[in-house]
Amino acid sequence: MPELRLGPFVVRTERTKIEAYRSATRGGGQGVPVAFPICWLGEPEIRTAIEDACGDRLPLHEGQSFVYARALEMGAEYRLSVVLGEEADPPRLVLKAECRTPAGELCVSMETLLRLVSPALELSA
Amino acid sequence: MKQVLPEVGTRLPERAVSPFTSAELAAYADISGDTNPLHLDTGIARKAGLAAPPVHGMLLFAAFEPLLREWRPDLRIGRLSGRFTQPVLEGEPVTLSGRVVRVSEGETPQILLRLMANGTSRAPALVGEAVLTPREAP
């Protein structure tokens, strides 16, 4: 699969969504949680691209990283760009995303590794 | 005043995380958009050879932030990464641990920690790293 570039999408750090995220992750604190940007990968266009790339294989979240150049602010708007690539051996999708301010300043880079497995694979083996 | 940095080898206080319930997995799926049915449907989990649905790896991942914040509120997380190496199942208790493996001083000090989340199996469920920097650093 050739690399697929998606976005930039307008994403937000809405207080209500962040509070719901905090509650769901048993987190506390005041600011935007470090791992909150993972929720932005649920953007319909990104999700559809992942589903298309998976085909009949099941994506298993294998790895994740967040590298912060500057903290995200509560109630702000950002731009998210994603590059979706595929590796063959072992089969996995690699999503590299960057979140920037509307002025273009980098805030956070994240990488998501999704291992692609046959639905029949026994995970407990 | 110069900040006192942790020493290499310092261990974070271990944290026991009580088991995640099916309602919590559903709530996380809802907010994160990770609605992979493997995490939500016991039948699908059983077909995959698991006794119960596996907890989203990102739920374990997110649990490190409060641990780090409470350990050193004067430091901020500059980088957080993790590999999900073993499934932790719904209803399974988890223990979080961590250790300082490198401290670089200088204009912007950095503290590198190795992190682990362990379920009931011998192997860790998550192996990660965090880089912390003083809050006042740029």
Side-chain angles (χ1 to χ4, degrees), chain B residues 59-137:
Chain B
L59 264 176
L60 302 179
F61 188 99
F64 280 101
E65 186 176 354
L67 175 67
L68 293 167
R69 197 177 49 236
E70 285 164 29
W71 175 60
R72 287 294 300 255
D74 56 329
L75 303 176
R76 71 175 185 90
I77 300 171
R79 178 162 68 82
L80 189 60
S81 62
R83 285 263 178 172
F84 310 116
T85 49
Q86 282 281 327
V88 164
L89 305 185
E90 176 194 307
E92 184 178 344
V94 179
T95 304
L96 307 182
S97 59
R99 187 168 61 89
V100 176
V101 292
R102 193 171 68 223
V103 177
S104 39
E105 303 207 29
E107 201 173 323
T108 307
Q110 292 196 329
I111 298 99
L112 174 67
L113 294 110
R114 186 110 338 118
L115 307 171
M116 281 206 296
N118 284 77
T120 50
S121 73
R122 217 177 155 85
L126 184 159
V127 178
E129 282 188 355
V131 173
L132 308 184
T133 57
R135 284 204 175 269
E136 66 272 19

Side-chain angles (χ1 to χ4, degrees), chain A residues 11-24:
Chain A
V11 292
R12 295 180 181 84
T13 49
E14 296 148 305
R15 188 173 293 275
T16 50
K17 185 153 188 191
I18 286 170
E19 280 166 7
Y21 174 86
R22 270 211 202 94
S23 165

Side-chain angles (χ1 to χ4, degrees), chain A residues 26 34 47 64 66 68 123-124, chain B residues 24 35 48-49 65 78 80 82:
Chain A
R26 303 178 182 171
V34 168
R47 211 170 146 159
Q64 183 64 47
F66 299 90
Y68 274 81
L123 303 176
S124 59
Chain B
E24 287 180 306
T35 54
E65 186 176 354
L80 189 60

Side-chain angles (χ1 to χ4, degrees), chain A residues 1-107:
Chain A
M1 182 186 88
E3 251 183 18
L4 189 59
R5 289 179 185 276
L6 303 165
F9 306 96
V10 176
V11 292
R12 295 180 181 84
T13 49
E14 296 148 305
R15 188 173 293 275
T16 50
K17 185 153 188 191
I18 286 170
E19 280 166 7
Y21 174 86
R22 270 211 202 94
S23 165
T25 57
R26 303 178 182 171
Q30 298 288 317
V32 178
V34 168
F36 173 76
I38 196 73
C39 298
W40 293 333
L41 299 186
E43 187 78 31
E45 197 179 326
I46 299 173
R47 211 170 146 159
T48 301
I50 293 171
E51 285 169 3
D52 290 348
C54 287
D56 58 0
R57 298 167 295 180
L58 195 64
L60 296 179
H61 202 166
E62 187 180 48
Q64 183 64 47
S65 70
F66 299 90
V67 180
Y68 274 81
R70 55 191 293 163
L72 297 173
E73 290 173 18
M74 186 73 82
E77 195 174 276
Y78 296 94
R79 305 288 180 271
L80 182 77
S81 302
V82 178
V83 178
L84 174 61
E86 184 168 355
E87 294 177 354
D89 189 20
R92 63 162 69 96
L93 299 180
V94 181
L95 285 93
K96 292 182 180 176
E98 282 189 352
C99 167
R100 294 178 180 270
T101 66
E105 290 168 298
L106 180 64
C107 296

